[in-house]
Amino acid sequence: MGKPKVYITRQLPQKAIDMIKEYYDIVGIWEEYYPPPYEVLLEKVKDIDALVSLLTDKIDKNLIDNAPRLRIIAQYAVGYDNIDVEYATQKGIYVTNTPGVLTEAVADLTWALILSVARRIVEADQFVKGGEWWRTKTGWHPMMMLGMEVNGKTLGILGMGRIGRAVARRAKGFNMRIIYYDKYRLSEDLEKELGAEFVDFETLLKESDILSIHVPLTKETYHLIGENELKKMKKGAILINTARGAVIDTRALIKALEEGWIAGAGLDVFEQEPLPPDSPLTKFKNVVLLPHIGSATTETRTRMGELVAENLIAFLKGETPPTLVNKEVLKIRKPGFD
Ligand code: NAD
């Protein structure tokens, strides 16, 4: 057999392309900024052995059924809610992701959002650039742009995995009380190291001044934060989401912001991406919106690309890919192309 064929659904850092090229025949790379339409993907997967996918590519049963030769889907992201992993497993298809290498970048961005919302950074920037500071001749005023003090407050973390923990570590410098809720409780040692206290979901909602979401999107976490939950939060609380948009019920969040149930929000992810410019979310001054750039640093994106390549190469050599998502697939098919 010649080199196995791979299709790549977006331009990746060159390092990754070079690594993949050595072992695979890259039959195509989707060159546009927008994702390949579903119909295009359906066509592309017909004759490939491997697919490099992004979170914007819907990889469902139908697509998998259209790809009889497909043996591995190497996702360029840690989240994989766009892939029907269960079905891929049934079909003996390996699914890999890129955990760990993006943790610090996402934690940094989470903190950028926390501070932006708490200290009204974006609003203040617009105040200066828009000329209002000049027009109002304010100079320095005791009541100008007052925000929320972060130091000493309670940080609530929903989902204390890799990113949740990295966010908690950064909170130490702000002398915060850290509480968390997760499906699984951390070890006592890790709790001690992080200075984090395990609480139930209800307490997390009620006691957090800043609530930061770090759970994956699953059937269980879909709309986990809805009207009931938002109503339980403090009026002065800030909600941060750098996980997945659909963990929050957007309609409920808009209502909460309109009616002042919470003080503000910082969002990197949305139920609909890209977010339409006429979304009600865009009208709130106390909301900071980012275009899903959690892992967007040159270093991290390069490392993610390398990990995608490492997974593809290990699979080709008959080894278990380093960051395999569906470990059960090992029982169904051995790694490698036949
Ligand atoms: P992780 O698997 O290390 O952590 C997730 C944590 O959530 C785990 O501790 C898990 O036990 C917990 N969890 C899962 N289901 C839960 C539930 N129903 N209730 C409570 N806790 C639950 O993952 P990670 O590497 O920390 O990444 C977290 C998520 O962040 C990813 O799944 C992805 O969706 C998102 N993410 C976003 C960006 C971005 O660009 N904004 C970048 C990377 C990751």
Side-chain angles (χ1 to χ4, degrees):
M1 170 180 177
K3 281 182 181 175
K5 293 178 181 170
V6 64
Y7 183 73
I8 305 179
T9 69
R10 220 67 48 81
Q11 191 53 257
L12 301 182
Q14 194 56 41
K15 176 96 190 282
I17 302 288
D18 291 343
M19 286 171 74
I20 296 170
K21 222 165 38 189
E22 232 186 277
Y23 294 88
Y24 283 80
D25 173 15
I26 300 178
V27 293
I29 299 177
W30 181 256
E31 297 286 352
E32 303 296 338
Y33 230 68
Y34 59 88
Y38 184 71
E39 300 67 44
V40 172
L41 262 191
L42 268 185
E43 194 52 41
K44 298 284 182 198
V45 298
K46 275 186 180 159
D47 190 34
I48 56 168
D49 305 289
L51 177 68
V52 175
S53 60
L54 265 64
L55 51 96
T56 39
D57 305 319
K58 190 170 179 209
I59 303 184
D60 57 6
K61 276 197 180 90
N62 183 41
L63 193 110
I64 291 171
D65 283 338
N66 257 270
R69 294 164 51 111
L70 189 62
R71 295 286 177 269
I72 176 166
I73 301 166
Q75 168 100 337
Y76 185 77
V78 64
Y80 44 81
D81 43 277
N82 57 308
I83 304 173
D84 189 337
V85 177
E86 209 178 304
Y87 194 61
T89 308
Q90 272 178 41
K91 292 281 175 180
I93 297 173
Y94 283 57
V95 178
T96 65
N97 65 343
T98 61
V101 294
L102 43 66
T103 300
E104 304 302 326
V106 181
D108 285 349
L109 192 91
T110 303
W111 268 98
L113 275 175
I114 293 173
L115 292 170
S116 297
V117 180
R119 299 302 303 273
R120 303 169 65 176
I121 300 294
V122 176
E123 200 188 331
D125 177 73
Q126 283 162 358
F127 186 71
V128 178
K129 288 181 184 161
E132 217 174 320
W133 194 35
W134 177 257
R135 276 194 295 279
T136 55
K137 302 187 176 64
T138 317
W140 191 94
H141 190 284
M143 305 307 280
M144 188 173 78
M145 291 277 159
L146 299 188
M148 164 185 157
E149 182 115 356
V150 173
N151 184 67
K153 291 280 161 49
T154 297
L155 171 67
I157 295 184
L158 178 57
M160 197 59 129
R162 287 170 293 247
I163 299 172
R165 277 175 257 163
V167 169
R169 287 199 175 94
R170 284 158 175 74
K172 278 197 170 171
F174 291 89
N175 300 312
M176 300 183 88
R177 174 184 174 224
I178 304 166
I179 56 177
Y180 78 98
Y181 172 70
D182 194 289
K183 234 164 115 164
Y184 306 104
R185 191 171 171 173
L186 297 178
S187 69
E188 231 175 89
D189 283 353
L190 201 46
E191 280 185 359
K192 217 179 253 170
E193 184 200 315
L194 294 170
E197 181 191 331
F198 182 77
V199 294
D200 58 32
F201 186 39
E202 179 110 3
T203 307
L204 187 85
L205 295 168
K206 285 187 174 155
E207 295 191 6
S208 300
D209 295 303
I210 295 158
L211 177 59
S212 194
I213 301 177
H214 302 288
V215 288
L217 176 62
T218 62
K219 279 184 203 126
E220 286 169 40
T221 63
Y222 177 80
H223 284 192
L224 187 59
I225 303 290
E227 262 198 56
N228 282 339
E229 292 70 29
L230 288 158
K231 276 187 177 149
K232 285 179 187 156
M233 289 176 65
K234 289 185 182 177
K235 265 198 174 353
I238 291 172
L239 180 63
I240 303 291
N241 190 6
T242 59
R244 283 290 182 269
V247 177
I248 300 178
D249 176 350
T250 310
R251 274 191 207 179
L253 175 62
I254 291 166
K255 196 168 168 196
L257 290 162
E258 274 167 355
E259 299 184 4
W261 307 347
I262 60 170
L267 309 171
D268 183 43
V269 288
F270 305 89
E271 287 201 73
Q272 186 188 352
E273 294 182 4
L275 184 74
D278 61 355
S279 159
L281 284 173
T282 61
K283 71 175 192 235
F284 301 108
K285 276 195 169 175
N286 52 344
V287 174
V288 175
L289 307 174
L290 300 178
H292 204 147
I293 54 166
S295 65
T297 68
T298 308
E299 295 86 342
T300 288
R301 289 286 165 85
T302 304
R303 197 56 206 109
M304 285 164 68
E306 285 168 5
L307 192 47
V308 163
E310 284 159 19
N311 276 305
L312 287 173
I313 296 164
F315 179 83
L316 178 141
K317 290 182 173 169
E319 296 159 10
T320 303
T323 51
L324 178 64
V325 168
N326 53 346
K327 306 239 166 12
E328 321 80 69
V329 77
L330 291 165
K331 288 184 227 135
I332 297 172
R333 202 195 293 266
K334 277 196 272 183
F337 299 99
D338 6 82

